[in-house]
Amino acid sequence: MPEIRVDGMLVNAAEGVSLAVALLSAGRTRFRTSLSGEPRAAVCGMGVCMECRVTIDGQPHRLACQVQVREGIEVRT
Amino acid sequence: MIVVVGAGPAGIAAALAVQECGKAVTVVDENPSAGGQIWRGDPTHRWVARFRAFNIPLISGVRVVWGYPAARTLVLEDAVGARRLAYDKLVVAVGSPEIFLPFPGWTLPGVFGAGGLQALVKSGLPVRGKNVVVAGTGPLLLAVAASLRKKGANIRLIAEQTPAALLWPFAKQLSGRASKLLQGIGLAWDLAGIPYAPASWVTAAQGDGRLQRIVLNRRGTLVTEDCDYLAVGFGLRPATELAAIMAGPDTIVAGTGDADLSLLEGRIAGYTAAGDLEKARGLEPERDQARTFAASIDRTFAVRDELRQLADSGTIICRCEDVPLGRLEGKTCFRDAKLHTRCGMGACQGRVCGPALEFLFGWHGASPRPPIFPARVGSLLSEG
Ligand SMILES: Cc1cc2nc3c(=O)[nH]c(=O)nc-3n(C[C@H](O)[C@H](O)[C@H](O)COP(=O)(O)OP(=O)(O)OC[C@H]3O[C@@H](n4cnc5c(N)ncnc54)[C@H](O)[C@@H]3O)c2cc1C
Ligand code: FES
């Protein structure tokens, strides 16, 4: 089971799932914060809505729904 | 070489048709695996298995962000960087995203697209024991409810905005084609016991930082329903951005509908790209029939006027730039709104609010600007 770090906390993800799935499964409902401060999470699941944007290993604006979890990645929401 | 963008039903069928004609083909898809929206996570499906069996090269996890039709070149981008891909003929088979319409609370985490939640479940999201409401319109709601229930979700209700008076004649007309739409008799069985409420729609989603309950207009009466997830979608519409950018004599567009129509259009596109026009023409009558059927679905499940009244002045319309409905008042067209409020100027580039604004105000979207997805500058530097 890949272990990832989300905002500094260790999260165990299931094998072969997308990062969006890993975050939701871990009860994380804030993927990003909107301009007016609202929490936002994945909506379309297919790379269209851009609501699932997170920072992965320092790279901003990655789509969590389009990325598979890998051992050791650092995610910032 | 013939390049196909999209490894859904349309792209798979196109690639197999090209291969059958003995020409070289490469497929590009932003997803890690082939199958598209419908067969993702189902590598054993007949078409996906065939695609693999023929060893068709698939460049996966890579998104086409732009291109130069005159130079017959695509610009591809992945996590690491960008590259170019040249082609002789191009098939654009990028599918049809869902239509989302705004209502108070639709931006709360826990509110998903109908196909959207299903896509997440297909990529591994557990829903066992979760209370889920499926809402919106169209046959996709049934497919979504059935597949979520199979994974153990507790489907509280399917709220279909279309009134029963339109649904039943449609269902009757279906009888011959029921298996096609309902994906086999299995679906009726999978849905047994789930309340199906015609003439019903979600008027608000509520909760503290995440979805906790919805308010439902159930045939004229407002009721509240507690739930963990809401899966809400208002049909599909073909993605036109890449097709518009790549328009030209060497580009063929395929895949504007459900899986059957997309498969047919894909095969036709593949034969056309490979130069076998006779085979392509032979499939046209069947395709036209499928298109007629798709059009009758669209008519039956057309979104009703009442849903235009759901958003209030504080309801966010543009989720990327947080533009509420109130700020759009007095604007005359999408361009006007973009200039004055940044509505539609954010990361999704109007893919979500565009169809909503078309529905609310009859505005049509402005043409795509480069890149069609936020891309790194380097990807676009030199002209192909
Ligand atoms: C979220 C969702 C779930 C659905 N679930 C069902 C279902 O369960 N049952 C059903 O009958 N129908 C379902 N549908 C309807 C479905 O769209 C069609 O049945 C069918 O998948 C259409 O096939 P297609 O090949 O035209 O498009 P798709 O299957 O959407 O395939 C398009 C492919 O193109 C890729 N792509 C798109 N843009 C780019 C780009 N710029 N660069 C690289 N690759 C790109 C995508 O990753 C995708 O794999 C669903 C639709 C959606 C939107
Ligand atoms: S969930 Fe919409 S882009 Fe990822």
Side-chain angles (χ1 to χ4, degrees), chain B residues 66-75 84 87 245-246 379-384:
Chain B
W66 194 247
Y68 306 99
R72 292 201 292 265
T73 305
L74 291 171
V75 181
R84 277 145 202 286
Y87 60 83
I245 288 160
M246 300 311 293
S379 309
L380 301 164
L381 276 184
S382 60
E383 275 260 338

Side-chain angles (χ1 to χ4, degrees), chain A residues 17-18 20-21 24-25 29 32 34-36 38-51 53 59 62-63 66 68, chain B residues 30-32 37 63 79 97 100 107 109 111-113 116 119-120 123-126 209 316 319-322 347-348 351-352 373:
Chain A
V17 301
S18 73
V21 165
L24 288 167
S25 311
T29 48
R32 71 175 193 103
S34 80
L35 288 179
S36 62
E38 290 182 0
R40 295 285 170 79
V43 176
C44 73
M46 59 177 291
V48 168
C49 72
M50 309 280 153
E51 289 285 37
R53 277 172 285 160
Q59 271 193 356
R62 299 295 310 282
L63 297 181
Q66 299 296 97
Q68 271 178 302
Chain B
E30 63 187 326
N31 234 263
Q37 294 311 328
R63 175 171 257 184
F100 306 110
T107 54
V111 178
F112 300 91
L120 289 163
S123 41
L125 179 69
I316 299 276
R319 304 173 66 117
C320 298
E321 298 287 326
D322 274 4
C348 89
R351 282 179 175 78
V352 176
F373 283 102

Side-chain angles (χ1 to χ4, degrees), chain A residues 46, chain B residues 6 8-10 29-30 36-38 40 64 95 115 118 140 183 259 262:
Chain A
M46 59 177 291
Chain B
D29 198 296
E30 63 187 326
Q37 294 311 328
I38 181 165
R40 176 148 303 148
V64 176
Q118 187 192 39
L140 183 60
Q183 297 173 344
S262 282

